[in-house]
Amino acid sequence: MPKPSEMVAFVDDVIAIAQQAGQAIMEIYQTDFKQYEKSDTSPLTEADLAAHHIIVDGLKKMSSYPCLSEESGEADGVDWQQRKDWGIYWLIDPLDGTKEFINKNDEFTVNIALIENGKAVLGVVYCPPLDRLYFAEQSMGAFRQDGLQPAQKISVADAPKESEVWKIVGSRRHGAEALEKFAEQLGDVETVSMGSSLKLCLVAEGAAHLYPRLALTCEWDTGAAQAIVEIAGGQVLAPTKTSDELLPLMYGQKEELLNPFFIVCGPVSEKWQSTFISLSK
C-alpha cells in the first residue's frame, strides 16, 4: 500500500485510467453498438468489455494488486478460493449503468475502488458523458471535478431540520414501491431518480440526504462510491442478519458478491432508521 504522501500521485494514475476507459466508452456510445446478454440476463455491450480491458491493463501496470471486475471471468482466476486471501485488491465496474448507456440518458459511470481488509479506502467514479469526476482517498479528502474546472472538496449534508425537506435519491429501475413506503415516514420529501453510482455521489456532495437501496446490487456497483461517501463524512450502512444494528457495508467477506440492502446517509436519524430496517428484512 502506498504511503499517504504517495497517494496523490496514485489517485492521479487511477483517475487517468478511468478517463481513458471513459473515452473508449464514449467512442462506442456514438455508434450503433452491439448488445449481448450475460448468463444472469443482465445486459452487456462492447463498451463494458473495452473499458474492462483498459482498466485492468492499466491497474496491473501501476500496482501488483489483483483486480476483480464485473467483467472478470473464470479465465481471470478470481474465484472465491483465491479472493478470500486478498488483503488488498482493486474492485471495478467498467460501465456501471449499462441500461442507462443503452437508453442513452448519460447516467452511467466508470467505478474503480481500492479495497483494503474489506474497506473501500480509495474511490474514483467518472461519468464520461458529463465529464464529471468524483474521487476520494483517506489522506486527501473527497472531491468533485467537472471538466477542466478546479476540483472542489465535497461533504455530506446535515440532516434536515423539522420544517425542512428531505432530499432522497432513488433508482430509475429498481425498488420504487419500497422507496415510496420509506419516504412516507419522513413527511416533506423531494425524490430524484438517478442511474448508476451517481446516486451515492449525490449524497457524498450534499445534494441529497439519503439513498435507501431496497433492491439488489453487487459489490462492484458500490465500492468506489462508498469510499467517496465515507471520506466525505457519510455512511453506507446495512442491517445485520442477527440484529437491527446498522453496520458499514464491507467487501470481500463472502463468496457471494451480492450486497445486502443498504442506506447511504450522513448521520443516522430516528425518523427513518426503524422503517429502513423493517423494509430491508
Side-chain angles (χ1 to χ4, degrees):
M1 182 77 178
K3 297 175 183 177
S5 60
E6 300 170 333
M7 286 302 289
V8 173
F10 201 66
V11 172
D12 286 345
D13 288 341
V14 179
I15 288 171
I17 291 168
Q19 290 174 324
Q20 186 183 354
Q23 183 178 351
I25 287 169
M26 290 307 293
E27 288 173 1
I28 296 169
Y29 194 47
Q30 308 303 330
T31 69
D32 239 353
F33 51 82
K34 295 178 182 178
Q35 298 177 39
Y36 310 93
E37 194 173 272
K38 292 192 276 191
S39 58
D40 63 358
T41 74
S42 62
L44 177 69
T45 71
E46 298 167 77
D48 297 78
L49 298 173
H52 165 79
H53 291 299
I54 288 169
I55 295 167
V56 171
D57 290 348
L59 293 175
K60 285 182 176 178
K61 288 177 183 175
M62 64 173 281
S63 79
S64 60
Y65 307 140
C67 296
L68 176 62
S69 165
E70 179 176 9
E71 309 313 333
S72 295
E74 292 181 7
D76 295 309
V78 290
D79 61 46
W80 173 239
Q81 292 306 310
Q82 292 179 294
R83 286 191 292 111
K84 68 180 182 179
D85 297 323
W86 291 356
I88 182 167
Y89 64 98
W90 296 107
L91 181 62
I92 306 152
D93 193 339
L95 177 49
D96 182 30
T98 301
K99 290 180 181 177
E100 315 306 331
F101 176 87
I102 291 168
N103 288 315
K104 299 204 170 184
N105 70 7
D106 292 353
E107 295 174 358
F108 52 86
T109 57
V110 176
N111 301 341
I112 305 175
L114 186 64
I115 308 298
E116 184 177 19
N117 298 323
K119 181 177 172 61
V121 297
L122 179 157
V124 171
V125 172
Y126 179 54
C127 179
L130 302 180
D131 197 13
R132 180 174 299 164
L133 179 69
Y134 295 91
F135 60 96
E137 188 278 323
Q138 292 173 316
S139 67
M140 60 186 286
F143 297 84
R144 168 178 162 172
Q145 184 173 16
D146 290 274
L148 298 176
Q149 297 296 314
Q152 301 293 321
K153 200 161 191 177
I154 59 174
S155 60
V156 298
D158 294 330
K161 295 176 182 176
E162 194 63 37
S163 60
E164 294 179 333
V165 175
W166 285 85
K167 296 180 180 178
I168 301 177
V169 62
S171 170
R172 283 197 182 283
R173 304 176 186 285
H174 307 284
E177 185 177 339
L179 179 64
E180 187 176 339
K181 289 181 181 177
F182 175 85
E184 286 173 356
Q185 309 303 310
L186 294 175
D188 200 0
V189 170
E190 179 183 311
T191 304
V192 177
S193 295
M194 184 71 64
S196 75
S197 59
L198 290 171
K199 296 185 286 293
L200 290 91
C201 293
L202 287 181
V203 178
E205 66 179 336
H209 299 107
L210 298 171
Y211 166 35
R213 180 67 186 202
L214 296 161
L216 293 176
T217 56
C218 289
E219 293 187 2
W220 43 66
D221 295 316
T222 56
Q226 180 169 349
I228 294 163
V229 169
E230 291 180 342
I231 294 167
Q235 305 179 84
V236 181
L237 304 172
T240 68
K241 290 183 177 180
T242 56
S243 74
D244 288 345
E245 187 179 9
L246 292 172
L247 295 176
L249 208 59
M250 299 290 285
Y251 296 88
Q253 306 300 296
K254 60 189 188 308
E255 181 172 2
E256 185 181 60
L257 288 162
L258 289 176
N259 289 322
F261 293 171
F262 60 84
I263 188 163
V264 186
C265 60
V268 174
S269 170
E270 292 181 358
K271 290 272 288 184
W272 55 259
Q273 183 177 2
S274 60
T275 301
F276 172 74
I277 290 170
S278 65
L279 287 171
S280 63
K281 295 297 187 181

